[in-house]
Amino acid sequence: MATALHNLSDYDLSKVPDASNMCFGIVVAEWNPEITGALLNGAVSTLEKHGALPENIHVKTVPGSFELIYGARQMVLNGGYDAVIILGSVIRGETPHFDYICQGVTFGISRLNATQGTPVIYGLLTTDTLEQAQKRSGGKLGNKGDECAIDAIKMAKF
Ligand code: RBF
């Protein structure tokens, strides 16, 4: 969890399993590309740091965060992955869209986790401002992409 006291990229190395035999799917949203690109870099480099081979990390893009549900579902049903990661950034605007998108993605990904056999890791930044998203995608509070990679490795091993 990102708090003033917790950096998203801080973790206990000794508790992370070896990922060299694991295969990962990543679905990344194109909205707010500065943020989602940084999340993706963090996730891929952390997976590789723990042994995952580049050819076993498959990245697909979708237009926006709402499409992450469909993208993850396709990967879960067709991909043969040990874990799937979704990465997106929703920034609050002036209309209620923020709430609908966040709730929709959260519900969709929860449902996949509750009904399918592949863990789907939730890397959706939901922030009031761009600055808050920057802090959590390689800024002062670390990178949510790193955290998602660690969670994916742990859940693949689960
Ligand atoms: N997608 C995002 O990933 N992040 C956003 O901040 C975001 N804001 C949106 C705001 C509005 C008003 C609309 C209509 C869409 C937004 N989307 C956003 C795109 C959404 O996730 C989806 O791609 C589209 O609604 C098409 O299904």
Side-chain angles (χ1 to χ4, degrees):
M1 193 172 59
T3 67
L5 299 175
H6 182 91
N7 184 305
L8 290 162
S9 302
D10 276 347
Y11 56 90
D12 184 350
L13 268 172
S14 68
K15 290 193 177 150
V16 184
D18 173 47
S20 54
N21 289 319
M22 296 176 181
C23 194
F24 299 94
I26 303 179
V27 202
V28 54
E30 288 168 352
W31 264 70
N32 304 313
E34 172 207 338
I35 304 298
T36 59
L39 295 174
L40 180 62
N41 287 341
V44 170
S45 62
T46 303
L47 289 173
E48 289 181 3
K49 183 170 148 191
H50 290 280
L53 302 174
E55 60 266 33
N56 290 335
I57 302 171
H58 301 166
V59 179
K60 297 280 260 180
T61 58
V62 291
S65 290
F66 195 72
E67 286 71 45
L68 290 168
I69 307 163
Y70 182 84
R73 183 170 184 275
Q74 291 305 105
M75 282 193 158
V76 163
L77 296 183
N78 304 319
Y81 297 106
D82 294 298
V84 169
I85 298 171
I86 61 122
L87 299 172
S89 162
V90 193
I91 300 174
R92 193 182 288 279
E94 288 178 351
T95 67
H97 257 87
F98 175 89
D99 299 303
Y100 293 123
I101 294 171
C102 296
Q103 281 168 18
V105 178
T106 303
F107 177 71
I109 299 303
S110 302
R111 190 153 171 238
L112 279 178
N113 276 303
T115 59
Q116 303 299 322
T118 304
V120 182
I121 306 303
Y122 180 87
L124 184 70
L125 286 180
T126 60
T127 58
D128 288 333
T129 65
L130 176 64
E131 194 196 4
Q132 288 171 340
Q134 286 165 336
K135 277 189 191 158
R136 291 160 176 80
S137 56
K140 235 168 138 181
L141 294 173
N143 191 330
K144 180 84 180 163
D146 296 351
E147 190 195 35
C148 286
I150 299 301
D151 294 347
I153 296 168
K154 287 181 175 172
M155 290 309 293
K157 176 87 179 173
F158 183 83

